[in-house]
Amino acid sequence: MSEQNILATIDGVNITEEDIDAYIAKLPQDQQAYAAYPQFREHCLKQLMAFHLYAKMAVEEKLDETEEFKEMLEKARKEILAQTAINSVLKDITVTEEEMQAFYKENPDHFAEPESAHAKHILVDTEEKAQEIMASIEKGEVSFEDAAKEFSSCPSNAQGGDLGEFGRGQMVPEFDQVAFEAEIGKVVGPVKTQFGYHVIKVEGRKEASVMAFDTVKDYIQGTLLQQKQNEVYTAKFRELEAKYVK
């Protein structure tokens, strides 16, 4: 082991960079995002040092001989035994390709992708303003995206009016009708809604479909595995309950 890799030594026990990595790997996902920051790693080192230092203090003060320690140790022993037993019961459970295919075919609603549209818009207060903007775009004086950035009051103006993809019924009815019926690529409007007047350009549409099996295979495998594990866990629990509970 390289001395450069040793961050601290406490009573002959070395704390290394690998120990820091292992400690961070057990933290919540949002905290793991800071793994590369030196200050965060220093904080983790302090936590590991505290663990060893307090353990050393406990031995010196013979806290490991107290009833409290013995009770905690027995509780930890039982928790480890229980988890080991659960792991043993569940370890051989698998999900076959045939089971995944069957689940996919029997549950099409789980994997349905609804009809969707992709549109951009420019939102203004008056019909006259909307018509002026449309005229400028049609004459080639300004692009739709630049007009959206300059004139639209919708927060989407920063993205050139791009609303991304959305399903039928997600927009107000007047906008929704245009998004799912207008010619793709054509600038249309003004369309009046409760928010004002829209100039709209539909970028594309997707028909309703079902996600491909390969796309959802991992999800199906995880779902079926959890179901099987729950069933086996429950069955074993009932068996043990009948055997030991009086």
Side-chain angles (χ1 to χ4, degrees):
M1 181 184 296
S2 170
E3 291 187 5
Q4 291 181 342
N5 193 38
I6 299 174
L7 303 176
T9 301
I10 299 174
D11 195 29
V13 178
N14 295 324
I15 300 176
T16 66
E17 290 287 357
E18 287 76 13
D19 293 324
I20 300 296
D21 291 336
Y23 176 83
I24 292 174
K26 296 179 181 178
L27 295 175
Q29 199 69 36
D30 59 337
Q31 294 184 38
Q32 291 184 33
Y34 299 99
Y37 289 84
Q39 288 181 325
F40 182 72
R41 296 184 71 84
E42 182 66 22
H43 168 75
C44 293
L45 172 61
K46 295 296 184 185
Q47 293 295 104
L48 283 176
M49 290 176 63
F51 172 81
H52 287 284
L53 291 169
Y54 277 105
K56 178 66 177 174
M57 184 196 83
V59 172
E60 289 181 349
E61 296 186 6
K62 297 185 177 181
L63 297 179
D64 56 337
E65 299 177 11
T66 64
E67 286 302 314
E68 179 185 8
F69 174 80
K70 291 175 182 178
E71 290 175 2
M72 293 174 65
L73 186 62
E74 180 59 19
K75 181 181 179 181
R77 176 178 171 275
K78 287 183 177 178
E79 289 176 351
I80 294 170
L81 281 171
Q83 190 57 59
T84 302
I86 291 170
N87 292 343
S88 176
V89 168
L90 303 181
K91 65 182 176 66
D92 294 326
I93 299 173
T94 59
V95 177
T96 67
E97 182 79 12
E98 291 75 17
E99 288 171 327
M100 289 188 282
Q101 289 280 3
F103 184 87
Y104 177 76
K105 292 175 182 176
E106 292 166 8
N107 297 275
D109 291 347
H110 281 50
F111 313 110
E113 287 190 312
E115 180 184 11
S116 66
H118 176 198
K120 298 177 180 178
H121 81 139
I122 301 168
L123 177 62
V124 293
D125 293 335
T126 68
E127 184 175 6
E128 292 73 23
K129 184 65 176 176
Q131 289 174 336
E132 291 175 7
I133 293 170
M134 283 187 65
S136 295
I137 294 171
E138 289 168 355
K139 292 176 183 177
E141 296 173 350
V142 63
S143 69
F144 189 99
E145 293 72 22
D146 287 342
K149 291 177 182 178
E150 183 175 355
F151 302 112
S152 182
S153 60
C154 177
S156 64
N157 55 14
Q159 290 79 46
D162 198 336
L163 295 169
E165 287 192 13
F166 49 88
R168 187 182 284 277
Q170 286 185 254
M171 300 296 180
V172 292
E174 302 89 344
F175 193 105
D176 195 72
Q177 182 177 358
V178 172
F180 285 92
E181 295 180 6
E183 181 182 339
I184 293 174
K186 183 178 180 181
V187 177
V188 296
V191 176
K192 184 181 180 181
T193 72
Q194 64 196 70
F195 301 107
Y197 293 86
H198 305 256
V199 177
I200 302 171
K201 182 170 73 167
V202 179
E203 296 289 323
R205 279 190 290 270
K206 292 181 181 178
E207 296 295 329
S209 62
V210 176
M211 288 182 276
F213 174 76
D214 287 342
T215 303
V216 297
K217 182 177 180 178
D218 289 344
Y219 164 79
I220 295 174
Q221 183 178 36
T223 299
L224 292 179
L225 182 61
Q226 185 173 30
Q227 287 178 359
K228 283 188 169 186
Q229 288 176 337
N230 288 342
E231 290 170 2
V232 171
Y233 176 92
T234 301
K236 177 57 71 172
F237 173 84
R238 289 172 179 162
E239 177 188 328
L240 295 171
E241 185 180 33
K243 183 176 181 179
Y244 296 113
V245 177
K246 305 301 182 182

